[in-house]
Amino acid sequence: MTVQGWMLILVFLILLVALAKPMGSWLFAIYEGRRTPLHVVLGPVERGFYKLAGVDPNAEQGWRRYALHMLAFQLATFAFTYCVLRFQDVLPLNPRGLAGQSPDLAFNTAVSFTTNTNWQSYSGESLSILSQMLGLAIHNFLSAATGIAIAFALFRGFARRQAAGIGNFWADMTRVTLYVLLPACIVYAIFLIASGVPQTFLTSVDATTLEGARQTILMGPVASQEAIKMLGTNGGGFFNANSAHPFENPGALTNFVQMLSILVIGTGLTHTFGRAVGNTRQGWAILAAMLVMFVAGTTVTYWQEAAGNPALHHLGLAGGSMEGKEVRFGIAASALFSVVTTAASCGAVNAMHDSLTPLGGMIPLFNMQLGEVVIGGVGAGIYGFLLFAILAVFVAGLMVGRTPEYVGKKIESREVKLAVLAIAVLPLMILGGTALASVLPAGLAGPLNKGPHGFTEILYAFTSATANNGSAFGGLSANTPFYNGMLGAAMWVGRFFIIVPALAIAGSLAAKKVHPESAGSFPTTGLLWVGLLVGIVLILGGLTFLPSLALGPIADHLAMIHGQLF
Amino acid sequence: MTTATLFTPALIGPAIGDAFTKLDPRQLVKNPVLFTTAVVALLLTVLLFIGGTSLSLSFQVQLIVWLWLTVLFGTFAEALAEGRGRAQAASLRATKSELTARLPNGKTVPASQLKKGDIVLVETGDLIPADGEVIEGVASVNESAITGESAPVIREAGGDRSAVTAGTRVISDRIRVRVTQEPGQGFLDRMIALVEGAERQKTPNEIALTILLVGLTIIFLIAVSTIPGFAAYAGGQVPVAILAALLITLIPTTIAALLSAIGIAGMDRLVRFNVLAKSGRAVEAAGDIDVLLLDKTGTITIGDRAASEFRPLGGVTTDELARAALLASLADETPEGRSIVTLAQGRYAVEIRSLPKTAEVIPFTAQTRISGVRIGTTLIQKGAVDAVLRANPGLGETATGGDLRRIAEEIARQGQTPLAVAEDGRLFGVIALKDVVKAGVRERFGELRRMGIRTVMITGDNPLTAAAIAAEAGVDDFLAEATPEDKLALIRKEQQGGRLVAMCGDGTNDAPALAQSDVGVAMNTGTQAAREAGNMVDLDSDPTKLIEIVGLGKQLLMTRGALTTFSVANDIAKYFAIIPAMFVALYPSLGVLNVMQLSSPQSAILSAIIFNALIIPALVPLALKGVKYRPIGAGPLLARNLAIYGLGGVLAPFAGIKLIDLVVAGLGLA
């Protein structure tokens, strides 16, 4: 580990925290439906959309209606993307004449982008321009907006008193897309173009290498997709190499900005939550708990990557592990990137996670197993974290001698039932899927490596899919009907079996009275609460995965120390 | 009521028996976590006979025994808590079974045949056969069977003291009682059911907690049932018995086993405190109270006011005023009247000891609000300032009338009640009656404030007096000149703001407010209507108890939270005991996770399961006694409890499992 490396991490953290308030305030204005300077230009567009769709943005929806409209919208866009991918061979804008995807691959890919996962069973280069732009890029916006909309709905549950509605799904979607994602991405894309990221309808250029060989270099509208890929924590790369590709991520500056842009909306939403419930310290407490876990994870990964592989040291290769890393980023920036991308549900990578040291790679895995609540994906991070907060209040809140309440709302059987249901989805799909793949021949055919490392490859795939991360550990041949189907199911369940309970909780909470805070209320700000949150996330969210981690990365690590590699 | 100690042989014996009868699946299924444990224990018992495992017989048998013990410890905890209540119930039931009722037509029938609306006659020496209302006569009644208080109380037709309770004894006179409860729903029946805990309904918070425990059980079931798949990948397998051990140690057996004992014990504490809650929900609500409405008289001040000072008007000497006040009060037998006599004879040294024979006493009436005495032609009047002025028309407009008002106002501002004295239509001055604030209430209200509870004093006094007393007693707010409607409106307003309100009351006109409040404590001396409207009845009729009731509610909730936290925190150590033991055969290097240095895999597993079982009886005393509540505010309280039960819950099993492992290895058990 170097001073330079730590400085990078420190500056990153400072900027991240500094951006939380402005970002959160902007999101709060949109949450409230307030007029912003952007309304001068985009207001008519927004109203035009409503008129076109016949939507009354002020019509409050109860949670069932909100959830129903959300699900219908997801199913419709899923079906649309499935068709675009399946039949890209006969659709326009396919200058390279690429074939349509197979049914299982198209299913997997469409689910993947609908659920903000962006797991890529296909390789980015096998898609037509139409598929990239109409099939996938659209979801980059919509799935991100969906996540934020759900977070808004849950915030309203906490903030409102004795209300029947939790907002309007269409209004939330439109406003988030129009006033947050779209303008931010335009600015961001321009920055990327200026930094050297291509933005063109040309599909490739031919270059002559120094040896005189002809090389075809693929290009395309990369910058625009890159912007939303990061801001919307989508992570689906234009190229298969993702952010390790120089056209996606040309240098140190773009790398730094990309990492920030992955987390900026997630951290901002913690502040928005605080504003929504009328006490910004509530938001800061959540962010603090997230950052404790984030810093701990970053430390482990950076330390392990910098320590390197003892087996290679014996061969005289001193220093940290550079396998699978880009020389232009180095160890610290790669380690930080891999923690950032899995803390959020992004899944973009600038280094190959399969090549991380076992414990260095365990942190990204563990981040996702916690349900990506360490800052987390846009919207998904905060609504997932609030589910844990509900359980934390419920377990420990009684210890102050009152029935549990969080930001003034009583936490009762209904909320507990729904929160547990949502959290149980993670072990069910991750561990259940991994166990199944570990015994079925179709599953066993997947991993490239043997031993615990191979096991980690399977575990990582199911974890990444269920947590809607989409990053690939690599080493797993996932483009098979078995994995496409299983992982597709994991992505769908991991997304909507958490969103629907979260909306139900929002509905249940919105209908309740607000209990004013007093000296006798359970304190949900301050260090004690931060510690409690971390404890509950680790014990209820993390411990379940300890057996799988012991048999995967931990066994892998111990073997490596003893000089055995897989 | 007798106070039983925690563990008497008389209670433990039957509880052990009951622990076994509670294994009945129909009963056990109500506790899903213990039920799961029992199913797993049964499964292993069956597998033992089928065989086909590499594990040694001795290890398997020990494991199975400890699993069954885990279940039995849980049922035992519940049985013990119920047993404590049942001892009380038995004596109550004995009273009930011997009750008979005499009907107006002279017939005698068993009390169990009485219906609502029946009329019964009760005479000296009889036990009252059913809950009811006195409709004719006055009697003194010994209610010690219910309250433990042997001093008799007066029960009479009409007014606020008309309610009588089954099982109490009339010790003088004769009354006619109208039965107000259907058979089996009376006070005594409810009390029996409550202390026995047999018909106990789970409270909302208990239901929610049970859901969480079931949820955790499901999550851990998923975690454990996927392990064989993982092990298969690693080219090995894990015996079912070891998977079962991991599952049972991870699921929250500790809190599940103690949950109903905590609830029963909490209710029991309230009953021992002579408060009868009609539901467990009310006890939970007591912990949540934000606002306490307290009646001034009897709660904040000692019931009676005492004369503190005579304030003569210009042209009247203090002696003259003291003499007049004394004469007007000699026949006044109220505590206030007597205090005036004492003050005049004491501090003001008036030498009169009794009224002359010719004196004619004018009694106090609600209409005139004046009392006094006529001695010969001299008329002395004493009463509320405005009442005295009204009785002497024209005085109010004079200069002395103005002075009187000014002095009266000054006295009121000091929290005292002014009484005017007039002789033959001439104003003499004012007697100041001082409300005596009970010793220690200021500190109590300070405590309540730290607990986040606002106290509101309810009084019929005028706002000036009320404000002064409120300031002296240290309450947060007051409601002066309060009518029952004002009280109800105040409760509604607080509830609209999301606050929970507790109050106590005894009169029929309190009933709506009692019903509206979240915790309404009716005084046992109160009317049947009040007792019906409240969700708790204080058998001692002591309004101060409201404060303790809140404390008991908090104690119940804290105990539940502390043991839940402890139970969940225990899982970390258990993982570290079992995971290395389970996987060391697959990857020997995973032995480094054996941070406790347990002697062997089998001993590690056994030690974890033994710890998991033994922690239940070890925590039974805490569950029954309750975690001590300290009024130190939520923040410090949480810090304290989190340190003890959270951090303690993480660390204790590391030490416990290690110790047990030393014993297990030392004895060569595994």
Side-chain angles (χ1 to χ4, degrees):
Chain A
M1 291 184 283
T2 62
V3 175
Q4 207 186 356
W6 280 113
M7 286 303 289
L8 172 82
I9 293 168
L10 190 68
V11 171
F12 177 77
L13 285 171
I14 290 170
L15 277 175
L16 189 63
V17 174
L19 283 171
K21 194 173 167 183
M23 190 71 220
S25 304
W26 181 255
L27 284 161
F28 181 65
I30 308 307
Y31 160 85
E32 292 259 274
R34 285 196 199 148
R35 241 185 109 74
T36 65
L38 282 178
H39 277 70
V40 182
V41 186
L42 295 172
V45 181
E46 183 192 352
R47 286 190 293 279
F49 270 125
Y50 296 146
K51 200 166 267 173
L52 207 65
V55 166
D56 173 8
N58 297 317
E60 283 291 323
Q61 294 176 323
W63 81 263
R64 283 192 182 81
R65 203 169 178 74
Y66 198 104
L68 213 64
H69 285 209
M70 183 273 304
L71 280 176
F73 181 70
Q74 306 298 329
L75 277 171
T77 53
F78 157 78
F80 172 77
T81 299
Y82 176 85
C83 294
V84 169
L85 297 172
R86 183 85 183 82
F87 306 113
Q88 70 170 357
D89 51 338
V90 292
L91 290 168
L93 281 177
N94 183 9
R96 283 188 284 144
L98 297 162
Q101 287 191 343
S102 65
D104 60 289
L105 184 59
F107 162 77
N108 183 285
T109 309
V111 171
S112 169
F113 278 75
T114 308
T115 58
N116 194 256
T117 312
N118 303 27
W119 170 266
Q120 293 168 295
S121 241
Y122 65 94
S123 112
E125 289 80 352
S126 67
L127 288 185
S128 73
I129 293 180
L130 185 84
S131 296
Q132 287 274 17
M133 297 191 74
L134 206 58
L136 304 187
I138 234 178
H139 278 296
N140 285 353
F141 282 92
L142 296 180
S143 67
T146 303
I148 299 174
I150 306 304
F152 281 2
L154 187 54
F155 292 176
R156 290 190 189 104
F158 281 106
R160 288 185 173 173
R161 40 190 77 190
Q162 288 167 295
I166 55 169
N168 182 298
F169 173 68
W170 306 106
D172 282 343
M173 285 293 285
T174 311
R175 287 175 187 155
V176 168
T177 311
L178 219 49
Y179 300 114
V180 182
L181 298 177
L182 216 51
C185 282
I186 290 172
V187 177
Y188 191 9
I190 292 171
F191 160 78
L192 289 174
I193 293 167
S195 309
V197 177
Q199 177 75 7
T200 170
F201 276 123
L202 292 176
T203 54
S204 60
V205 286
D206 289 334
T208 310
T209 64
L210 287 175
E211 291 96 22
R214 252 174 58 97
Q215 188 181 4
T216 304
I217 300 171
L218 295 178
M219 298 205 308
V222 182
S224 59
Q225 187 162 326
E226 202 62 18
I228 189 62
K229 164 190 142 189
M230 295 303 175
L231 266 179
T233 61
N234 291 290
F238 195 92
F239 303 105
N240 205 22
N242 211 304
S243 279
H245 194 295
F247 280 179
E248 289 202 23
N249 189 4
L253 181 64
T254 54
N255 190 59
F256 191 82
V257 172
Q258 288 199 352
M259 289 192 293
L260 268 184
S261 62
I262 290 174
L263 295 181
V264 70
I265 291 181
T267 49
L269 280 169
T270 62
H271 184 72
T272 312
F273 173 71
R275 292 282 290 273
V277 299
N279 181 358
T280 48
R281 293 183 62 202
Q282 298 284 0
W284 291 118
I286 289 180
L287 183 57
M290 290 171 163
L291 286 177
V292 167
M293 293 184 275
F294 179 80
V295 170
T298 306
T299 307
V300 172
T301 296
Y302 182 32
W303 163 51
Q304 282 297 310
E305 294 309 308
N309 187 337
L312 296 178
H313 297 166
H314 291 310
L315 299 176
L317 286 168
S321 167
M322 277 303 289
E323 180 193 321
K325 295 186 181 63
E326 289 290 302
V327 187
R328 67 184 192 282
F329 302 133
I331 290 177
S334 301
L336 182 59
F337 199 110
S338 58
V339 177
V340 166
T341 193
T342 50
S345 78
C346 184
V349 292
N350 76 348
M352 295 303 114
H353 289 187
D354 199 10
S355 300
L356 294 173
T357 58
L359 292 187
M362 181 177 80
I363 297 301
L365 188 57
F366 190 60
N367 272 342
M368 295 187 284
Q369 288 175 335
L370 293 178
E372 279 163 359
V373 295
V374 182
I375 300 170
V378 289
I382 184 93
Y383 67 65
F385 198 90
L386 286 173
L387 297 179
F388 277 111
I390 284 174
L391 291 185
V393 160
F394 191 78
V395 169
L398 285 168
M399 281 198 294
V400 300
R402 290 170 75 119
T403 55
E405 60 199 28
Y406 184 50
V407 292
K409 295 288 179 135
K410 285 269 172 228
I411 304 301
E412 292 165 300
S413 1
R414 189 168 164 77
E415 290 77 38
V416 170
K417 193 192 300 176
L418 292 163
V420 174
L421 197 72
I423 286 170
V425 162
L426 295 161
L428 179 71
M429 298 313 285
I430 295 175
L431 298 177
T434 307
L436 218 56
S438 300
V439 291
L440 295 179
L444 288 168
L448 177 74
N449 300 77
K450 291 191 183 43
H453 199 74
F455 177 74
T456 309
E457 287 169 355
I458 301 178
L459 181 65
Y460 194 102
F462 279 97
T463 304
S464 177
T466 307
N468 297 142
N469 185 278
S471 72
F473 199 55
L476 186 76
S477 311
N479 189 8
T480 64
F482 174 80
Y483 279 109
N484 279 337
M486 289 284 289
L487 295 174
M491 289 186 272
W492 190 264
V493 173
R495 176 81 165 175
F496 296 110
F497 280 66
I498 292 176
I499 284 186
V500 174
L503 286 175
I505 289 176
S508 166
L509 288 176
K512 295 186 184 200
K513 288 181 184 171
V514 171
H515 204 103
E517 201 184 339
S518 75
S521 307
F522 183 81
T524 52
T525 55
L527 280 182
L528 208 58
W529 168 240
V530 171
L532 181 66
L533 275 177
V534 173
I536 287 290
V537 170
L538 291 181
I539 292 179
L540 294 188
L543 272 186
T544 329
F545 298 99
L546 193 63
S548 67
L549 295 176
L551 291 180
I554 295 176
D556 196 6
H557 171 79
L558 294 168
M560 176 186 83
I561 290 179
H562 295 112
Q564 190 188 3
L565 301 177
F566 297 96
Chain B
M1 216 161 281
T2 54
T3 331
T5 47
L6 261 181
F7 294 107
T8 59
L11 287 177
I12 289 183
I16 292 175
D18 286 347
F20 282 94
T21 47
K22 278 172 175 291
L23 289 181
D24 180 343
R26 283 165 302 182
Q27 223 182 326
L28 201 58
V29 78
K30 289 183 199 154
N31 190 330
V33 179
L34 281 190
F35 185 75
T36 308
T37 313
V39 169
V40 170
L42 189 66
L43 177 76
L44 289 195
T45 314
V46 172
L47 284 178
L48 182 69
F49 292 104
I50 295 174
T53 162
S54 55
L55 297 170
S56 77
L57 188 67
S58 126
F59 175 74
Q60 287 187 71
V61 170
Q62 289 184 65
L63 201 61
I64 291 167
V65 167
W66 283 108
L67 286 181
W68 281 115
L69 279 175
T70 310
V71 182
L72 283 171
F73 286 151
T75 53
F76 170 77
E78 202 178 298
L80 188 64
E82 284 172 3
R84 295 172 84 201
R86 202 171 301 143
Q88 296 175 343
S91 68
L92 290 171
R93 196 174 276 131
T95 317
K96 188 173 154 54
S97 61
E98 64 200 35
L99 293 178
T100 56
R102 196 137 43 90
L103 302 177
N105 59 19
K107 274 200 215 153
T108 301
V109 296
S112 55
Q113 291 181 7
L114 289 175
K115 295 206 172 50
K116 195 169 172 178
D118 284 353
I119 310 278
V120 294
L121 294 174
V122 195
E123 289 188 347
T124 307
D126 288 351
L127 287 170
I128 294 171
D131 289 2
E133 199 175 359
V134 181
I135 52 168
E136 194 185 306
V138 185
S140 57
V141 179
N142 181 339
E143 299 194 333
S144 62
I146 304 287
T147 64
E149 175 60 56
S150 56
V153 292
I154 300 293
R155 296 296 180 194
E156 59 190 343
D160 285 352
R161 294 173 168 193
S162 60
V164 287
T165 310
T168 56
R169 190 178 296 276
V170 172
I171 53 176
S172 74
D173 304 294
R174 166 195 167 98
I175 45 174
R176 202 180 258 269
V177 174
R178 185 197 296 123
V179 177
T180 52
Q181 289 292 344
E182 292 295 348
Q185 286 172 14
F187 213 60
L188 206 54
D189 302 293
R190 241 184 283 166
M191 201 151 158
I192 291 172
L194 273 170
V195 292
E196 263 193 340
E199 297 303 317
R200 216 172 71 87
Q201 297 279 319
K202 278 188 178 152
T203 64
N205 181 260
E206 273 180 305
I207 292 171
L209 191 52
T210 307
I211 289 173
L212 176 73
L213 300 183
V214 171
L216 291 181
T217 305
I218 292 171
I219 289 178
F220 287 124
L221 203 57
I222 295 169
V224 171
S225 61
T226 50
I227 289 178
F230 303 167
Y233 185 91
Q237 50 181 336
V238 180
V240 177
I242 292 179
L243 290 172
L246 178 64
L247 176 67
I248 300 306
T249 50
L250 292 182
I251 63 176
T253 47
T254 315
I255 179 62
L258 297 173
L259 189 55
S260 44
I262 295 169
I264 296 169
M267 193 65 107
D268 192 44
R269 270 196 295 280
L270 209 58
V271 172
R272 271 162 211 278
F273 203 59
N274 269 357
V275 175
L276 190 54
K278 293 185 187 162
S279 69
R281 186 190 281 263
V283 189
E284 273 176 14
D288 283 349
I289 289 305
D290 300 286
V291 181
L292 272 187
L293 302 191
L294 297 169
D295 280 325
K296 184 197 78 178
T297 309
T299 312
I300 295 170
T301 61
I302 56 174
D304 312 313
R305 287 177 286 206
S308 65
E309 197 189 0
F310 295 123
R311 297 278 301 271
L313 289 167
V316 180
T317 65
T318 313
D319 277 351
E320 279 174 307
L321 173 62
R323 195 179 149 275
L326 174 67
L327 286 170
S329 305
L330 271 171
D332 183 351
E333 279 302 310
T334 63
E336 287 170 13
R338 264 181 267 138
S339 78
I340 296 173
V341 172
T342 315
L343 182 73
Q345 291 172 342
R347 181 138 53 103
Y348 294 88
V350 183
E351 291 290 343
I352 301 169
R353 289 282 172 262
S354 60
L355 285 174
K357 290 272 180 309
T358 55
E360 181 200 337
V361 175
I362 303 163
F364 177 89
T365 67
Q367 280 76 39
T368 61
R369 291 160 65 212
I370 286 180
S371 64
V373 64
R374 190 188 296 274
I375 305 167
T377 56
T378 312
L379 170 70
I380 306 175
Q381 292 167 308
K382 178 189 80 177
V385 172
D386 58 335
V388 170
L389 288 178
R390 201 168 344 107
N392 297 281
L395 276 185
E397 287 70 49
T398 62
T400 39
D403 284 349
L404 181 78
R405 283 216 177 82
R406 191 179 44 75
I407 295 177
E409 206 166 292
E410 198 177 298
I411 289 172
R413 207 171 293 128
Q414 292 161 3
Q416 308 192 30
T417 308
L419 278 187
V421 178
E423 189 176 308
D424 289 337
R426 182 180 165 214
L427 291 173
F428 263 37
V430 184
I431 309 170
L433 290 178
K434 192 173 167 36
D435 255 310
V436 184
V437 172
K438 283 187 171 177
V441 290
R442 218 190 149 76
E443 291 70 37
R444 291 297 285 279
F445 294 144
E447 254 176 41
L448 287 171
R449 203 168 299 118
R450 283 196 294 281
M451 285 156 65
I453 297 170
R454 216 159 55 87
T455 43
V456 179
M457 180 180 86
I458 308 289
T459 170
D461 292 342
N462 64 61
L464 276 179
T465 312
I469 298 172
E472 189 184 344
V475 293
D476 298 299
D477 205 351
F478 62 86
L479 185 65
E481 289 168 351
T483 62
E485 293 74 39
D486 292 341
K487 244 185 190 177
L488 190 61
L490 177 67
I491 296 175
R492 291 218 169 108
K493 195 188 96 199
E494 293 289 355
Q495 288 175 335
Q496 210 57 48
R499 295 179 191 84
L500 270 70
V501 184
M503 67 165 282
C504 54
D506 52 6
T508 299
N509 55 14
D510 282 330
L514 279 172
Q516 177 73 37
S517 60
D518 300 282
V519 173
V521 183
M523 301 294 108
N524 193 36
T525 53
T527 57
Q528 191 63 31
R531 298 201 321 193
E532 280 303 311
N535 46 18
M536 290 191 194
V537 178
D538 177 18
L539 301 173
D540 298 336
S541 305
D542 170 10
T544 348
K545 271 202 196 162
L546 206 48
I547 301 172
E548 272 87 8
I549 291 172
V550 170
L552 285 177
K554 289 192 176 295
Q555 192 182 19
L556 170 72
L557 294 173
M558 274 174 48
T559 310
R560 207 181 275 157
L563 292 178
T564 307
T565 307
F566 186 84
S567 191
V568 170
N570 271 198
D571 276 357
I572 298 179
K574 291 167 180 173
Y575 261 118
F576 277 97
I578 295 187
I579 293 287
M582 188 182 251
F583 293 149
V584 79
L586 302 174
Y587 297 110
S589 56
L590 282 176
V592 296
L593 292 180
N594 181 6
V595 290
M596 283 173 269
Q597 300 287 312
L598 304 175
S599 53
S600 73
Q602 294 208 339
S603 163
I605 289 161
L606 212 50
S607 302
I609 207 89
I610 292 174
F611 176 85
N612 191 57
L614 289 181
I615 195 73
I616 297 171
L619 289 175
V620 163
L622 182 66
L624 295 188
K625 246 172 44 200
V627 171
K628 194 167 155 48
Y629 177 73
R630 288 157 211 269
I632 50 176
L637 196 61
L638 179 66
R640 194 189 151 79
N641 286 332
L642 212 51
I644 300 176
Y645 303 101
L647 203 60
V650 172
L651 299 178
F654 278 102
I657 292 174
K658 177 69 189 171
L659 274 176
I660 294 170
D661 174 71
L662 290 175
V663 175
V664 167
L667 294 177
L669 294 174

